[in-house]
Amino acid sequence: MESKLKIFRESQNLSQKEMSEKLGVSLSYYSKVENGVRNSSFDFLKKIKETFPDISIDNTFFTGKFPKISVSEKVKDSEIIYQITIGEEEVNEEEIKKALERAFCTFRSFLLES
């Protein structure tokens, strides 16, 4: 599946090299972000918004990346046990921490953008 960043870049008739130069980042870094090998940094998001004010950061970088999260509660041996499911998979505590960190970064980016 083509990344939305690649679709945006091509709509601007720019090569990866030209886009990286416009944003002031290395071609290697830009390519990794566009290909989903590396997550974009806050500074990168800021640069792309300053360079292309009409771009939707949310739609380009975050839409569809956060699956449905559900929490269920069970009582076992008089103790409440929480089961957390992200998408279709049950997740462990470490995965929950990572998901919350990503959500916090997204929320922070949104607040700074507003």
Side-chain angles (χ1 to χ4, degrees):
M1 183 169 125
E2 250 184 338
S3 79
K4 290 183 180 183
L5 182 58
K6 179 179 180 180
I7 293 167
F8 175 79
R9 174 181 56 78
E10 289 175 343
S11 77
Q12 302 297 304
N13 297 313
L14 296 171
S15 67
Q16 282 190 342
K17 184 174 192 286
E18 291 167 327
M19 183 69 133
S20 67
E21 288 171 354
K22 273 189 164 296
L23 299 173
V25 298
S26 72
L27 174 58
S28 173
Y29 176 81
Y30 178 82
S31 177
K32 287 176 184 176
V33 171
E34 183 178 283
N35 292 308
V37 174
R38 182 174 176 159
N39 288 328
S40 54
S41 68
F42 177 73
D43 285 340
F44 179 82
L45 296 177
K46 190 175 171 184
K47 285 178 184 180
I48 200 163
K49 187 66 175 176
E50 289 170 351
T51 307
F52 302 98
D54 294 333
I55 192 171
S56 168
I57 296 297
D58 186 46
N59 287 337
T60 306
F61 292 94
F62 300 111
T63 301
K65 289 193 176 185
F66 300 102
K68 180 183 173 191
I69 298 174
S70 61
V71 179
S72 58
E73 195 175 286
K74 297 177 184 176
V75 178
K76 183 178 178 182
D77 300 327
S78 301
E79 184 178 332
I80 297 175
I81 298 172
Y82 294 96
Q83 178 180 354
I84 299 177
T85 305
I86 298 180
E88 300 295 321
E89 299 178 27
E90 196 172 321
V91 293
N92 63 35
E93 188 175 333
E94 188 59 34
E95 291 169 317
I96 294 166
K97 285 179 185 177
K98 288 179 183 176
L100 289 173
E101 286 172 7
R102 285 193 309 269
F104 174 75
C105 288
T106 302
F107 183 66
R108 185 176 129 212
S109 296
F110 171 76
L111 289 176
L112 293 171
E113 210 176 275
S114 300

